[in-house]
Amino acid sequence: MCGIVGYFGSKQASPILVEGLSKLEYRGYDSAGIAIINEGHLKVTKCKGRLANLEAQLLEEPLMGNVGIGHTRWATHGKPSDENSHPHTNEKETISVVHNGIIENYIHLREWLMSKGYKFTSETDSEVIPHLIDFYYNGDIVDAVMKAITKMEGSYAIAVITSDEPDKLVAVRKDSPLIVGLGKDEFYVASDIPAVLNHTREVYLLEDKEFVVISSDGIKLLDAEGETINKEIFHVTWDAEAAEKGGYEHFMLKEIHEQPKAIRDTMTSRIVLGEPITLDDINITKEQIKNLNKIYIVACGTAYHAGVVGKYVIEKLARIPVELDIASEFKYRDPIMDKNTLMIVISQSGETADTMSALRLAKSKGARVIAVTNVVGSAASREADDVLYTWAGPEIAVASTKAYVTQLIAMYIIALFFAQSKETLSNEEIEEIKIAMMELPEKAEEVLKNKETVQKFTAKTYMHKDMFFIGRGLDYAVAMEGSLKLKEISYIHSDAYAAGELKHGPIALMEEGTIVIALATQEAVFDKTVSNIKEITTRGAKVFAFAPVGHTEIEKSVFSVTYIPKVMDILAPVISVIPLQLLSYYMAIQKGCDVDKPRNLAKSVTVE
Ligand code: M6R
């Protein structure tokens, strides 16, 4: 959570920092601020609210200078307020720090610093950092930061400047992301690559406890002991344009439309007709796959919903038992794992703290970990044994859409890969699924062409306060995702139920006019789903169904039906989720909600 940036060069830092922060607002937008060194003095401007508020202040009172740091906040310790905004400074206002992460021992550090006479002006954990650095400062900011971090427990990516050494910028990370952008005689630091892409494609991806020291002498990378280290430059191949809205009103809508491409890209070179599935970054052997006693799939939110589908398809195709866990709950149940256990973590960002802590627990118990992630160089990709990248491209909207469908594709690929190794499916069966998968991008396009049908539906229903999503089997998995999407961006309360479970309680909620979205894409349970629909329509529910083309018999049982292209049952989630994403999007638009930045949410949740 939170985004940090830094600039060191000969240009005015302020506009560069603000532009960088605008690319990081997905990490939080409770407040924003920058600190700049100008003629040996440190100047800070910061305020509660969106980045636009900061921009307005800077317009009135510009900050001049060529070295600076910036922050966009997602509040954890201390409410969103001007005081709690970053950058934080020491009392003399000579040292300024931006921080992403949580200092877990901040209460202890705060008391200790207060006993030494330090005064605090915010409620944040982060404010201990400038004071701690001040405590150790003896004319060498690098040395002071190095000493300060030995006292800090928790997670951090920090960038530090001081007016006492105006030509220096120091940054370091632990368990929070940090990259360094390399320009021509200018340098950037940031929580994520999009923040620097307008300036450079050459970056260093810092590891835990690695420092970058930028000064007029150039750039130095140091380890925790202060020894110089060499790192490979990572060349970013994706386009800066890809991270922009590209003509759509919102990132979410753009990303929904990018799904056919994202599906295609994620399958490229992995799903090739007539050839066995080979996965470049997965080194697990056939023998190890055969010996697997269990797989855990662990993830959060939308990624967890992809895991629901993953469990279903891995068990069905590869016949390996799969347990599915919400990452934030995983460690509390003392999971049984050994070297023959595999954990698959799914995480768009690859930085989600809950998921990372589950990954680390699995590794500590000797299990092998595959990370399914969208971000190259993310923590999950670095710490897992194997990686399967979802090639969705940067996902900016807080509500995950294209990452979800690519996570589904990743689940199919893994299931087929294991089925191939264990020979639980014949080559013909595998080929049949591959052919069906290759048709998915085109079928997804078809759904997108009919988006007006969904749009019309939302015009009639957006004022409802509650809705329900129902389905059986994989339709239930998609119902959960549809319900989450609706809640997070339109703030309409919704629940997802397994259609067969309604009669065990939730049916009591059905009354005249209750809105129910019913998914009926699974041939194997189609009739049973229709029976469940009838049970609720007789109690007054207004059911809007999504069913495969050709199943016109459902029309008699529902208020309205939207037909979607027919695909193989196990692949249906990739197609059926799209109208639900559109539905949430148009509901949110009708209600005037901020689609890309829903309240209280952040894109990357890097706190537990
Ligand atoms: O980056 P991750 O995939 O690990 O993120 C997991 C969840 O925080 C994320 O999917 C969240 O639920 C989204 N807001 C859903 O749209």
Side-chain angles (χ1 to χ4, degrees):
M1 222 61 66
C2 302
I4 68 167
V5 290
Y7 173 76
F8 187 106
S10 53
K11 299 188 186 123
Q12 284 301 323
S14 170
I16 295 174
L17 295 172
V18 170
E19 186 232 4
L21 291 178
S22 72
K23 304 285 190 275
L24 296 181
E25 259 199 307
Y26 72 88
R27 301 181 71 86
Y29 32 83
D30 288 329
S31 66
I34 62 171
I36 288 184
I37 296 175
N38 185 19
E39 295 178 351
H41 296 286
L42 190 66
K43 300 272 181 224
V44 179
T45 301
K46 57 183 190 175
C47 53
K48 181 184 160 181
R50 299 276 162 104
L51 186 59
N53 297 1
L54 175 71
E55 285 181 271
Q57 285 204 18
L58 289 169
L59 213 58
E60 270 182 30
E61 234 179 294
L63 288 192
M64 310 304 281
N66 316 113
V67 179
I69 53 178
H71 189 270
T72 177
R73 178 168 189 248
W74 187 79
T76 54
H77 295 60
K79 60 186 174 300
S81 69
D82 290 351
E83 298 72 35
N84 291 333
S85 311
H86 297 220
H88 289 290
T89 56
N90 60 341
E91 211 176 329
K92 288 175 281 179
E93 298 191 346
T94 52
I95 297 170
S96 187
V97 176
V98 285
H99 168 225
N100 167 34
I102 290 186
I103 305 304
E104 285 167 5
N105 60 338
Y106 82 101
I107 295 179
H108 163 77
L109 288 174
R110 195 175 162 114
E111 280 165 5
W112 179 71
L113 286 160
M114 281 165 73
S115 75
K116 306 254 173 244
Y118 284 89
K119 291 192 182 64
F120 284 76
T121 55
S122 80
E123 305 156 313
T124 65
D125 55 326
S126 310
E127 198 190 349
V128 296
I129 307 173
H131 295 309
L132 207 51
I133 295 172
D134 178 279
F135 178 79
Y136 289 113
Y137 189 68
N138 205 358
D140 181 350
I141 190 67
V142 181
D143 178 64
V145 174
M146 282 192 164
K147 287 187 174 131
I149 68 158
T150 62
K151 301 289 170 210
M152 288 157 40
E153 287 165 20
S155 58
Y156 50 83
I158 57 171
V160 186
I161 52 175
T162 171
S163 53
D164 289 332
E165 293 170 75
D167 72 335
K168 225 171 248 177
L169 190 156
V170 186
V172 60
R173 60 155 280 183
K174 181 184 159 272
D175 294 335
S176 292
L178 188 64
I179 63 110
V180 182
L182 309 169
K184 196 166 176 296
D185 299 325
E186 56 185 4
F187 303 96
Y188 310 82
V189 296
S191 299
D192 199 359
I193 292 171
V196 305
L197 262 194
N198 278 345
H199 309 281
T200 180
R201 298 185 155 274
E202 309 289 303
V203 299
Y204 287 130
L205 306 171
L206 293 193
E207 298 288 339
D208 276 357
K209 303 266 181 90
E210 287 181 350
F211 289 78
V212 59
V213 180
I214 305 167
S215 70
S216 33
D217 296 334
I219 186 165
K220 262 196 305 191
L221 299 178
L222 306 175
D223 65 14
E225 278 70 51
E227 297 297 326
T228 304
I229 50 170
N230 292 315
K231 265 189 118 55
E232 259 183 49
I233 294 177
F234 178 74
H235 181 76
V236 184
T237 48
W238 37 274
D239 205 335
E241 268 288 290
E244 302 294 334
K245 284 190 203 147
Y248 289 94
E249 205 182 331
H250 296 98
F251 280 114
M252 183 181 176
L253 191 59
K254 173 179 174 258
E255 288 161 7
I256 289 174
H257 280 85
E258 285 172 343
Q259 293 183 111
K261 179 176 185 303
I263 296 168
R264 203 174 283 120
D265 289 350
T266 304
M267 291 193 299
T268 299
S269 82
R270 293 162 174 166
I271 299 291
V272 180
L273 294 186
E275 284 181 26
I277 299 169
T278 44
L279 303 174
D280 288 351
D281 293 325
I282 296 196
N283 300 312
I284 185 167
T285 62
K286 217 171 181 174
E287 211 42 44
Q288 285 167 322
I289 294 171
K290 281 189 180 151
N291 288 336
L292 287 177
N293 51 22
K294 198 198 290 179
I295 297 176
Y296 286 93
I297 299 183
V298 182
C300 306
T302 286
Y304 171 82
H305 295 151
V308 180
V309 176
K311 171 181 163 66
Y312 186 98
V313 293
I314 293 172
E315 288 189 337
K316 189 175 176 64
L317 306 185
R319 309 308 296 159
I320 307 171
V322 180
E323 284 198 36
L324 179 67
D325 275 81
I326 290 174
S328 57
E329 290 294 319
F330 183 70
K331 65 180 170 202
Y332 304 117
R333 66 183 190 91
D334 200 6
I336 303 162
M337 328 183 89
D338 59 30
K339 64 176 179 26
N340 291 326
T341 311
L342 175 73
M343 175 187 270
I344 302 175
V345 294
I346 311 175
S347 174
Q348 186 284 131
S349 61
E351 301 287 347
T352 300
D354 291 322
T355 308
M356 287 309 299
S357 111
L359 180 156
R360 287 170 190 142
L361 177 64
K363 293 219 69 178
S364 73
K365 287 181 176 264
R368 191 179 183 101
V369 179
I370 297 182
V372 173
T373 180
N374 195 37
V375 179
V376 177
S378 58
S381 75
R382 292 196 306 266
E383 293 187 34
D385 299 285
D386 308 287
V387 189
L388 185 69
Y389 285 113
T390 52
W391 296 117
E395 191 178 64
I396 306 297
V398 167
S400 185
T401 53
K402 62 176 180 170
Y404 172 74
V405 295
T406 58
Q407 287 160 354
L408 296 180
I409 298 295
M411 292 299 108
Y412 299 132
I413 292 174
I414 290 175
L416 286 175
F417 181 63
F418 287 174
Q420 174 184 280
S421 305
K422 286 190 69 200
E423 295 168 22
T424 48
L425 292 181
S426 67
N427 284 344
E428 292 70 36
E429 286 168 319
I430 293 179
E431 285 303 296
E432 199 190 332
I433 298 174
K434 280 158 69 182
I435 292 170
M437 285 176 76
M438 290 175 105
E439 290 170 0
L440 289 172
E442 210 179 301
K443 306 246 164 148
E445 296 279 9
E446 269 179 58
V447 181
L448 291 168
K449 277 189 203 133
N450 288 328
K451 60 175 187 261
E452 281 71 28
T453 330
V454 178
Q455 203 170 358
K456 273 187 216 140
F457 161 77
T458 58
K460 295 180 208 144
T461 46
Y462 75 95
M463 68 296 275
H464 281 259
K465 287 203 167 21
D466 296 287
M467 288 188 196
F468 298 90
F469 288 76
I470 63 165
R472 279 177 174 259
L474 287 177
D475 281 338
Y476 173 45
V478 178
M480 287 189 230
E481 175 56 8
S483 172
L484 173 67
K485 218 83 306 168
L486 186 71
K487 291 193 253 277
E488 71 180 326
I489 60 165
S490 73
Y491 317 141
I492 296 172
H493 167 258
S494 75
D495 281 323
Y497 291 112
E501 185 67 8
L502 287 169
K503 58 187 175 293
H504 298 289
I507 201 162
L509 296 167
M510 299 296 147
E511 55 185 13
E512 206 54 45
T514 304
I515 303 284
V516 180
I517 314 292
L519 290 157
T521 72
Q522 300 290 296
E523 289 292 348
V525 289
F526 183 82
D527 293 341
K528 280 204 160 72
T529 307
V530 172
S531 299
N532 297 139
I533 291 172
K534 283 183 182 149
E535 286 158 15
I536 55 172
T537 49
T538 53
R539 286 159 174 92
K542 212 170 170 184
V543 175
F544 296 83
F546 290 93
V549 172
H551 270 296
T552 48
E553 67 271 35
I554 199 172
E555 286 175 18
K556 294 195 275 307
S557 316
V558 298
F559 181 78
S560 95
V561 57
T562 302
Y563 292 107
I564 54 176
K566 171 94 199 90
V567 294
M568 200 180 256
D569 269 13
I570 55 164
L571 305 180
V574 178
I575 300 303
S576 59
V577 76
I578 300 174
L580 302 193
Q581 296 165 341
L582 288 165
L583 185 133
S584 315
Y585 175 78
Y586 289 120
M587 288 284 198
I589 295 291
Q590 295 278 359
K591 290 190 68 188
C593 301
D594 188 344
V595 174
D596 284 336
K597 292 177 187 140
R599 69 185 180 206
N600 306 338
L601 294 176
K603 182 70 180 162
S604 274
V605 187
T606 52
V607 292
E608 281 186 39

